[in-house]
């Protein structure tokens, strides 16, 4: 057991350095960094306590004993003292940890007034993201991917139109539930550029496992550039496959659920696909966006993500190829 | 007064004659009818324990299925729909059909013996409680087998479990199973409270009650106060789903978080409902195997009561990320952390007992040592998750899975296994194998830690709970595979335990009345005890009534032997107050349970069931309570 | 004697348990809810091949529909998916909560084309005169069957166990599992609109 403890500590130390992954110990954002310090501190204190208790237990069980039958009178007094001291120490340590916890809480919840506000809606089983109108341009909608500027507070407005989800990108901040009928908020702040993965942390039904979100932190300039691209309508490239793909998309049930701005497709039940080709992953973090993965997904969504709300639309192989080419072209 | 002449009292009767007469009046008749109508707390307790362990084995099978699915990324052994049912079943089964019932079942068997009485209070209610429990368990498992098992998690958060998103009857079956198990749990709680308060042996004043009995008393009060919350919640859920009420519908003025408050107002005390009996078991085993009474009796009792009170003040720590006001959350951080103090006191008292005593390393004691090692880790991670910021990172991750398995398996199942080894001779008259016991302890201890310790790390690495699979690019597959293999070791330990228990019950070596040299009253009678438990009620003069010679244990006399009769005593000093008739066998509790089962299951499908289903219940209750013309008890 | 009691009681109990298991299993098996998340493409294609009477009312579903156990009428999961589709595809904009609006009501006792699944499927897929649009290019055939099954439950006079319950919205009428058509029948038929198609 002690080796296991040591193992944990070494892993804690080893993983706390690396970034990008979905880990509470690879924090890259102010709130998560505060919490990571608390985690490491509490683990250290608790490990020490456990080792002390185990040493006491071992000694109590294995110590050499006097030959007399029973120690009765008088010998209870040192025990009483020891137990009282241990209880007092427990109380003090508990009080200390409580205060440490309070201070950390105070450090993670305050956004400055210039914070960028993004609305995130949890849907079964994907994330709908709204950027509000700002001084640089009108608002827009995207899905399963949030871009944020580095070094700036970002306030997420968390809402849910269906069931409870929980927004959790461990490297940037602790989690916060999206509760129907309520509006919660969460402060994010990335100190370094990078891609931070997160996923839904509250059980939300069949595809709770495949409900990931990418937070992409970029330098402010790059962020504005990305936002400017997102505001644009979709552009059809001159490629004939792509054009045929667009035609098929509009003629098939696809357009009834998905919006592609700048085209007749205006469905609102599925994710906005206006710039799907520019996103890193499709189907809420399921696979990387490539023409092949798009085709595989469209051809048989229920095999890749059983129970999700995208139906299998019957397409000829040409239609499938064209539609995936079209999707990929929507950068 | 006129009819109970002295020839019907036990005062002047010879021992052999007394045993013969008591056996005639207290025995359960053989045959099917006898089995179905018995009210003997020992038979019902044994049944309860056996059934609970069957559910443990079934729940364990489910966990192995989950480990099979999670052993590799994007595995396809089990689809999401079935997996969601499996983890829901695992949690529900372990909490509602195993952990709470098995603890209460141990009390049904042991408390009357430990307080020196002949049967539990309200024995027919006790029989009813078992049938209700069995029906609830069968309802859940049959539903699962026919692919209608609940798939909403053992916590069944609305709206996922609500009318709009929980299609079919799956969530209703979960909610109604709650009603079954809570009715049975409440019934036992009431019996235990009354047994402990009114049926203690003469002289067993409050400061001479064994710690196990104290722990069950506190647990029973927790049950009485916590369970109504979940029954209200689950009934509201069924109403929302069936009739279209709006308890949890925000659009009509309901509230989604109301469910969570009600659920956790029950759900957190539930943890202590499972853990406190284990405290009692550990205390009993520690006292016996260190050859001295538990250090700090008063402190232990106070810690039990303090834990019981605090248990109701920390439910919100399950909702730290639901978006409640931060100030309120901070209060619950403080209260959640504070409960570590009484828990710590208990640990320190046991350590002091071990320090001062002379440990005998028999299997029950090994399990207690294993409990100390594991439970302290679980308690410490509990302190961690009590902190709001810490919890925002680990809530609903495998860190929490590790934490509560350390608390519940380490804190309750290890003591329970120790308790089974310890009391097995009393239950069956035979000993379990000491050699196998050591192997079983070794396998379970190693398997448990290898399985659950890595889950702490997985949680911190960002692996959420309740996912049926994970993607290959996540760094979790190595540890998950390791955990799945470790789970096999753990399962092997449990398998060996079941083999040993079944084998020992048939052909273990015969046990004497007091094989461990223990000092509490259940060891003052034969193993297994006769149907009347004690030929003459023992009289208690100290905390350790058996520390002297068994032959010199003082007894009371004057009870009638021509009807089931036991002694009631005062609450504080346990001075004898009255002779009280104890009900005879009856089939009506079974009929009442069947009628209630009919009504409860029917009411999943139609609200009218509550009206028409009440008729058979009323009929069975009339049968149950039909006056027999027996005179009221004499004072 | 004691030994005998306990061993017999165990046997009796196992027997009682098994009996109870069998009976309850049978009852619950009746309401079994197999949840098929992925419909095989050939079956999905075959669902389109139902035959309709020449007047566009009633007909027979494809054989495969019976082979898979008529899931769109009896399976709770499909019915609840149908309820989602009712909202997602804007059925309410003409049919309201089922009591009609611009389009006909589903629970006034009148089915302009009869209450059979194929009629409803055909109405959704191909559209009907006087304003009902065709959803052939907007929904897959499985979705159309799911939606049709749901629409049937709105107007059912005998509430089905598998029918969906209320939504987490403002309530305007009793939920489908309460048999709204039965409850609201007193409001009477809203009258036949000749402009909505042939009378039944």
């Amino acid at each position: 057991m002690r080796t296991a403890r040591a193992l944990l500590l070494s892993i804690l130390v080893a993983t706390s350095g690396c970034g990008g992954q979905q880990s509470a110990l690879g924090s890259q954002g102010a709130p998560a960094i505060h919490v990571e310090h608390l985690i490491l501190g509490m683990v250290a204190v608790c490990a020490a306590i456990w080792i002390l208790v185990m040493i006491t237990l071992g000694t109590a069980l294995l110590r050499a004993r006097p030959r007399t039958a029973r120690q009765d009178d008088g010998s209870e007094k040192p025990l009483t003292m020891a137990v009282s001291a241990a209880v007092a120490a427990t109380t003090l340590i508990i009080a200390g940890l409580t205060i440490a916890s309070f201070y950390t809480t105070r450090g993670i919840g305050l956004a400055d007034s210039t914070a960028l506000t993004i609305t995130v809606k949890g849907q079964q089983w994907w994330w709908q993201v709204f950027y509000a109108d700002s001084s640089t341009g009108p608002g827009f909608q995207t899905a399963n991917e949030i871009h944020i500027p580095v070094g700036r507070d970002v306030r997420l407005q968390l809402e849910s139109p269906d069931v409870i989800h929980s927004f959790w990108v461990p490297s940037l901040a602790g989690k916060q539930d999206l509760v129907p009928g309520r509006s919660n908020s969460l402060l994010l702040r990335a100190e370094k550029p990078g891609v931070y993965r997160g996923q839904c942390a509250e059980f939300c039904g069949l595809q709770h496992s495949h409900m990931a979100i990418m937070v992409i932190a970029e330098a402010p300039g790059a962020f504005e550039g990305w936002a400017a691209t997102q505001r644009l309508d979709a552009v059809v490239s001159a490629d004939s496959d792509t054009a045929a793909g667009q035609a098929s998309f509009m003629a098939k049930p696809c357009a009834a659920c998905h919006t592609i701005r700048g085209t007749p497709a205006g469905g609102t039940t599925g994710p906005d696909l206006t710039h799907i080709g520019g996103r890193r992953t499709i189907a809420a973090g399921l696979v990387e966006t490539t023409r092949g993965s798009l085709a595989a997904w469209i051809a048989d969504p229920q095999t890749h993500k059983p129970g999700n709300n995208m139906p299998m639309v019957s397409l000829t192989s040409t239609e499938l190829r064209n539609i995936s080419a079209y999707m990929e072209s929507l950068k | 007064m006129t009819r109970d002449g002295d020839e019907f009292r036990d005062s002047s009767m010879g021992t052999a004659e007394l045993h013969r007469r008591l056996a005639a009046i207290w025995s359960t008749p053989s045959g099917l009818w006898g089995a179905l109508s018995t009210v003997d707390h020992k038979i019902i307790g044994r049944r309860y324990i056996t059934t609970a362990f069957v559910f443990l084995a079934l729940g364990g099978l489910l966990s192995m299925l989950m480990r099979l699915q999670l052993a590799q990324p994007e595995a396809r052994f089990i689809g999401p729909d079935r997996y969601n049912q499996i983890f829901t079943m695992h949690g529900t089964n372990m909490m509602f059909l195993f952990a709470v019932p098995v603890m209460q079942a141990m009390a049904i068997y042991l408390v009357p013996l430990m307080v020196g009485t002949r049967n539990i209070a309200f024995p027919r209610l006790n029989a009813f409680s078992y049938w209700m429990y069995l029906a609830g368990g069968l309802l859940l498992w049959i539903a699962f087998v026919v692919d209608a098992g609940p798939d909403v998690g053992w916590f069944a958060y609305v709206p996922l479990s609500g009318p709009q998103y929980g299609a079919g009857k799956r969530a209703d079956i979960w909610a109604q199973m709650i009603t079954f198990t809570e009715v049975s749990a409440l019934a036992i709680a009431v019996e235990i409270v009354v047994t402990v308060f009114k049926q203690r042996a003469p002289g067993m004043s409050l400061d001479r009650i064994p710690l196990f009995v104290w722990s069950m008393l506190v647990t029973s009060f927790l049950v009485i106060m916590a369970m109504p919350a979940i029954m209200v919640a689950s009934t509201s859920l069924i109403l929302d789903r069936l009739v279209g009420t709006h308890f949890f519908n925000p659009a009509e003025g309901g509230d989604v978080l109301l469910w969570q408050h009600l659920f956790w107002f029950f759900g957190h005390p539930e943890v202590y409902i499972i853990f406190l009996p284990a405290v009692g078991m550990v205390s009993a085993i520690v006292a016996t195997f260190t050859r001295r009474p538990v250090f700090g009796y008063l402190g232990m009792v106070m810690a039990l009561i303090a834990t019981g009170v605090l248990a109701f003040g920390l439910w919100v720590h399950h909702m730290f990320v639901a978006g409640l006001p931060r100030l309120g959350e901070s209060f619950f951080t403080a209260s959640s952390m504070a409960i570590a103090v009484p828990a710590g006191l208990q640990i320190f008292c046991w350590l002091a007992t071990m320090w001062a005593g002379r440990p005998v390393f028999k299997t029950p004691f090994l399990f207690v040592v294993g409990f100390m090692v594991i439970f302290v880790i679980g308690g410490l991670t509990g302190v961690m998750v009590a902190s709001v910021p810490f919890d925002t990172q680990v809530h609903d991750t495998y860190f929490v899975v590790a934490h509560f398995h350390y608390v519940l398996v380490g804190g309750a199942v290890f003591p329970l296994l120790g308790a089974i080894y310890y009391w097995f001779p009393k239950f069956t008259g035979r000993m379990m194998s000491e050699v196998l016991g050591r192997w079983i302890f070794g396998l379970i201890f190693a398997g448990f830690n290898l399985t659950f310790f890595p889950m702490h790390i997985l949680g911190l690495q960002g692996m959420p709970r309740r996912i049926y699979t994970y993607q290959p690019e996540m760094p979790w597959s190595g540890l998950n595979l390791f955990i799945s293999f470790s789970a096999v070791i753990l399962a092997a330990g449990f398998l060996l335990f079941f083999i040993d228990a079944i084998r020992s019950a048939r052909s273990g070596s015969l046990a004497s009345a007091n094989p461990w040299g223990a000092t509490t009253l259940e060891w003052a009678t034969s193993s297994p005890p006769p149907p009347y438990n004690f030929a003459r009620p023992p009289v208690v003069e100290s905390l350790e009534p058996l520390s002297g010679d068994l032959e010199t244990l003082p007894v009371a006399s004057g009870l009638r032997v021509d009807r089931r009769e036991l002694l009631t005593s005062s609450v504080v000093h346990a001075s004898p107050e009255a002779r009280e008739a104890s009900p005879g066998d009856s089939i009506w509790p079974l009929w009442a349970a069947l009628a209630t089962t009919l009504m409860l299951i029917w009411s999943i499908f139609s609200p009218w069931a509550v009206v028409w289903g009440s008729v058979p219940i009323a009929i069975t209750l009339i049968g149950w309570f039909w006056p027999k013309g027996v005179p009221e008890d004499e004072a | 004697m004691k030994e005998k009691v306990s061993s017999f009681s165990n046997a009796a109990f196992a027997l009682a348990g098994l009996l109870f298991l069998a009976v309850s299993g049978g009852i619950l098996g009746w309401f079994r809810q197999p949840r098929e998340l992925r419909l095989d493409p050939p079956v999905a294609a075959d669902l389109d091949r139902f035959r309709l009477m020449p007047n566009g009312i009633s007909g027979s579903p494809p054989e495969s529909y019976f082979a898979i156990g008529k899931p769109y009428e009896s399976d709770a999961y499909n019915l609840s998916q149908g309820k989602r589709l009712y909202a997602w595809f804007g059925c309410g904009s003409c049919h309201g909560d089922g009591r009609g609006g611009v389009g006909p009501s589903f629970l006034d006792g009148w089915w302009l084309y009869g209450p059979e699944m194929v009629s409803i499927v055909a109405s959704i897929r191909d559209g009907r005169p006087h304003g009902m649009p065709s959803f052939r290019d907007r929904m897959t055939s499985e979705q159309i069957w799911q939606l049709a099954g749901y629409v049937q439950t709105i107007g059912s006079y005998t509430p089905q166990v598998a029918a969906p319950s209320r939504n987490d919205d403002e309530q305007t009428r009793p939920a489908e599992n309460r048999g709204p058509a039965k409850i609201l029948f007193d409001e009477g038929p809203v009258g036949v609109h000749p402009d909505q198609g042939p009378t039944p």
Side-chain angles (χ1 to χ4, degrees), chain B residues 155-312:
Chain B
F155 47 94
Y157 275 8
V158 291
L160 189 63
S161 65
Q164 188 174 356
Y165 297 96
K169 290 292 166 195
R170 294 173 166 194
D172 300 284
I173 285 164
W174 177 87
Q176 205 62 300
M177 184 279 315
I178 298 284
T179 313
F180 279 92
T181 52
E182 308 313 275
V183 163
S184 67
L186 281 168
I188 304 174
V190 170
E191 295 155 24
I192 298 292
V193 168
V194 176
T195 308
V196 174
F197 275 167
K198 292 307 292 178
Q199 289 184 208
R200 298 201 307 277
M204 187 183 273
S205 50
L206 286 183
D207 56 346
R208 291 176 189 162
I209 298 180
L211 281 172
F212 177 76
V213 176
W214 263 117
S215 74
M216 286 315 308
L217 180 66
V218 176
T219 303
S220 299
F221 275 111
L222 288 191
V223 169
I224 291 169
M225 288 186 278
M227 299 282 181
I230 185 71
M231 282 177 71
V232 165
S234 65
T235 306
S236 311
L237 179 62
I238 294 179
L239 284 171
D240 262 20
R241 294 173 53 88
L242 182 63
V243 189
T245 54
H246 298 279
F247 291 105
F248 307 118
N249 176 8
E252 288 280 6
D255 193 344
V256 168
L257 290 187
L258 171 64
W259 170 268
Q260 299 187 15
H261 282 292
L262 286 172
F263 185 83
W264 291 116
F265 186 79
F266 142 83
H268 201 82
E270 168 94 340
V271 176
Y272 294 96
I273 289 168
I274 294 165
F275 171 63
L276 290 185
V279 169
M281 293 168 182
V282 170
S283 300
I285 295 171
V286 164
T288 300
F289 292 93
T290 59
R291 306 275 170 239
R292 57 153 291 145
V294 170
F295 175 85
Y297 176 86
L298 184 64
M300 290 295 287
V301 173
M302 288 302 153
L304 282 171
I305 296 171
T307 310
V309 173
L310 280 174
F312 286 95

Side-chain angles (χ1 to χ4, degrees), chain A residues 1 4-5 8 11-12 15 21-25 32 35 38-39 42-43 46 49-50 53-54 56-57 59-63 65-71 76 79-80 83 86-87 90-91 94 97-98 101-102 104-105 108 124 161-164 168 170 173-177 179-182 184 197 199-210 285-286 303-304 306, chain B residues 74 76 80-81 84 87 151-153 155 157-160 165 250 255-257 260 291-293 295 321-323 326 330 333-334 337-338 340-341 345 347-349 351-352 354-359 361 365 369 372-373 376-377 380 383-384 387-397 406 449 453 457 459-462 464-469 471 473-476 544:
Chain A
M1 277 320 298
R5 232 343 121 162
L8 171 68
I11 288 172
L12 294 186
T15 50
Q21 267 310 343
Q22 178 178 323
S23 169
L25 301 174
V35 178
L38 181 76
I39 292 177
M42 286 182 88
V43 169
C46 291
I49 296 172
W50 183 77
V53 174
M54 287 307 110
T56 318
L57 176 66
T59 320
L61 292 176
L62 303 174
R63 75 194 179 98
R65 279 157 219 282
R67 289 268 152 225
T68 51
R70 251 199 190 187
Q71 321 104 300
E76 299 254 305
L79 281 183
T80 313
V83 168
V87 172
T90 309
T91 315
I94 290 296
L97 292 177
T98 309
S101 167
F102 288 164
T104 313
T105 309
I108 60 175
Q124 279 181 323
D162 46 39
V163 302
I164 302 176
W168 186 38
K175 59 183 72 65
Q176 184 66 253
D177 286 356
V179 184
R182 285 175 175 255
N184 287 338
R197 189 183 191 273
Q199 80 185 87
C200 178
E202 182 61 81
F203 177 61
C204 58
L206 287 169
Q207 281 303 327
H208 169 55
S209 315
H210 291 128
L286 187 70
T303 293
H304 299 290
Chain B
E74 290 290 355
R76 303 251 161 183
D81 188 41
N84 290 349
F87 83 71
D151 57 354
V152 290
F155 47 94
Y157 275 8
V158 291
L160 189 63
Y165 297 96
D255 193 344
V256 168
L257 290 187
Q260 299 187 15
R291 306 275 170 239
R292 57 153 291 145
F295 175 85
V321 299
R326 285 284 174 223
S330 296
T333 293
M337 292 221 178
V341 175
L345 174 63
I347 297 279
F348 300 138
C349 284
L351 282 174
M354 291 176 186
W355 187 284
R358 298 173 166 275
F361 290 92
F365 193 64
V369 173
M372 298 282 269
V373 175
V376 173
I377 295 180
L380 289 169
V383 168
M384 297 179 196
S387 152
V388 173
F390 196 116
D391 190 60
T392 61
Q393 283 290 21
V394 297
H395 180 81
D396 273 339
T397 69
Y406 265 76
N449 284 296
F453 196 84
I457 300 164
L460 289 172
Q461 283 182 340
R465 295 168 76 177
R466 300 162 187 144
I467 53 173
Y468 78 100
T469 192
Q471 282 151 274
E473 59 266 29
M474 306 311 293
W476 307 327
E544 297 186 287

Side-chain angles (χ1 to χ4, degrees), chain A residues 8 31 39 43 49 68 86 113 116 118 154-155 177 203-204 227 242 259 265 277 317 328-329:
Chain A
L8 171 68
I39 292 177
V43 169
I49 296 172
T68 51
S113 54
L116 170 71
I118 303 170
V154 178
R155 209 172 68 87
D177 286 356
F203 177 61
C204 58
T242 315
T259 294
S317 57
E328 197 202 12
S329 75

Side-chain angles (χ1 to χ4, degrees), chain A residues 54-325:
Chain A
M54 287 307 110
I55 291 172
T56 318
L57 176 66
T59 320
L61 292 176
L62 303 174
R63 75 194 179 98
R65 279 157 219 282
R67 289 268 152 225
T68 51
R70 251 199 190 187
Q71 321 104 300
D72 276 328
D73 38 77
S75 67
E76 299 254 305
K77 201 162 185 200
L79 281 183
T80 313
M81 301 275 285
V83 168
S84 312
V87 172
T90 309
T91 315
L92 283 178
I93 293 167
I94 290 296
L97 292 177
T98 309
I99 291 166
S101 167
F102 288 164
Y103 273 99
T104 313
T105 309
R106 283 179 53 182
I108 60 175
L110 305 167
D112 64 37
S113 54
T114 62
L116 170 71
T117 299
I118 303 170
T119 304
V120 177
K121 288 189 180 182
Q123 302 264 12
Q124 279 181 323
W125 291 273
W126 58 283
W127 304 92
Q128 193 173 21
V129 182
F130 298 91
Y131 285 75
D133 299 342
S134 70
S135 54
T136 50
F140 55 89
Q141 192 191 137
T142 176
N144 301 325
E145 200 172 280
I146 299 178
H147 286 243
I148 59 171
V150 162
R152 184 171 162 199
D153 283 355
V154 178
R155 209 172 68 87
L156 297 184
Q157 197 66 36
L158 303 172
E159 291 161 18
S160 170
D162 46 39
V163 302
I164 302 176
H165 305 276
S166 191
F167 183 94
W168 186 38
V169 181
S171 310
L172 296 181
K175 59 183 72 65
Q176 184 66 253
D177 286 356
L178 297 81
V179 184
R182 285 175 175 255
S183 180
N184 287 338
S185 69
L186 178 68
L187 173 71
L188 283 192
R189 185 189 170 94
E191 306 298 341
K192 279 201 274 182
V195 181
Y196 305 104
R197 189 183 191 273
Q199 80 185 87
C200 178
E202 182 61 81
F203 177 61
C204 58
L206 287 169
Q207 281 303 327
H208 169 55
S209 315
H210 291 128
M211 189 172 163
I213 187 159
M214 298 292 160
V215 176
I216 292 147
E218 309 170 301
F223 169 75
E224 286 305 336
W226 171 83
T229 317
Q230 294 292 312
R231 287 188 188 104
L232 299 175
D233 285 349
V235 189
V236 195
S237 65
D239 186 356
S240 67
D241 281 3
T242 315
Q246 184 180 25
S248 300
F249 187 95
M250 301 307 154
K252 291 282 172 182
C254 316
C257 292
H258 295 286
T259 294
I260 297 176
R261 272 175 281 131
T263 74
T268 52
T269 49
D272 184 310
L273 301 180
T274 311
H275 297 286
I276 184 177
R279 293 181 203 147
R280 277 176 173 67
T281 59
I282 54 167
L286 187 70
V287 276
E288 223 177 293
T289 314
T290 64
R291 191 180 292 199
S293 65
L294 281 162
W297 168 248
I298 296 165
D300 195 353
Q302 294 301 327
T303 293
H304 299 290
K305 204 168 156 178
N308 86 85
N309 288 310
M310 170 138 158
M312 190 196 298
V313 176
S314 76
L315 297 169
T316 66
S317 57
T318 319
E319 285 168 340
L320 181 62
R321 201 170 53 242
N322 292 343
I323 289 179
S324 1

